[in-house]
Amino acid sequence: MRLFLSVLLVTLALCCYEANAIVCPDIAKDFEGFLWEDKTAFELSLQKYRAPPENVQAVLDVKTCIDNISAEGRSQLVAILGHGGHRVEDETRGELR
């Protein structure tokens, strides 16, 4: 089993060497919307995923809990989860932050 794991890691390292830590701007925008937009606006942004209604409702239920967190608490969540040390490409300027 250890040999298999070693071979797997080496294979992934060789095949995925071009991987980077740039977060997709749309995902970053959705994450920001999840934390800061009101429920109605966020529900509209979820429509682009064409998810089943029960999945959308589950996300909105979690959003209701997030909405009960203070703005300071949400800012702390952004600091913890936000970019997680990853670079985010600014789609307007093509710059990395």
Side-chain angles (χ1 to χ4, degrees):
M1 183 69 174
R2 289 185 184 182
L3 177 63
F4 172 74
L5 184 58
S6 299
V7 171
L8 176 64
L9 290 175
V10 169
T11 304
L12 287 173
L14 293 175
C15 294
C16 301
Y17 68 93
E18 291 183 14
N20 58 37
I22 297 175
V23 177
C24 173
D26 289 336
I27 291 176
K29 183 178 176 186
D30 286 344
F31 177 69
E32 186 177 313
F34 181 73
L35 290 175
W36 299 108
E37 287 180 357
D38 66 348
K39 191 173 179 179
T40 308
F42 184 68
E43 187 173 8
L44 291 174
S45 72
L46 288 177
Q47 290 179 355
K48 66 183 170 193
Y49 296 109
R50 298 185 201 149
E54 58 271 8
N55 294 8
V56 171
Q57 187 57 47
V59 171
L60 292 176
D61 290 345
V62 175
K63 170 107 176 92
T64 301
C65 294
I66 294 293
D67 289 344
N68 291 327
I69 298 175
S70 67
E72 180 183 337
R74 289 187 221 180
S75 296
Q76 290 175 350
L77 282 173
V78 169
I80 294 169
L81 300 173
H83 304 306
H86 300 296
R87 300 176 301 171
V88 178
E89 187 172 350
D90 186 346
E91 61 185 273
T92 57
R93 288 180 251 149
E95 297 175 354
L96 297 177
R97 296 186 267 160

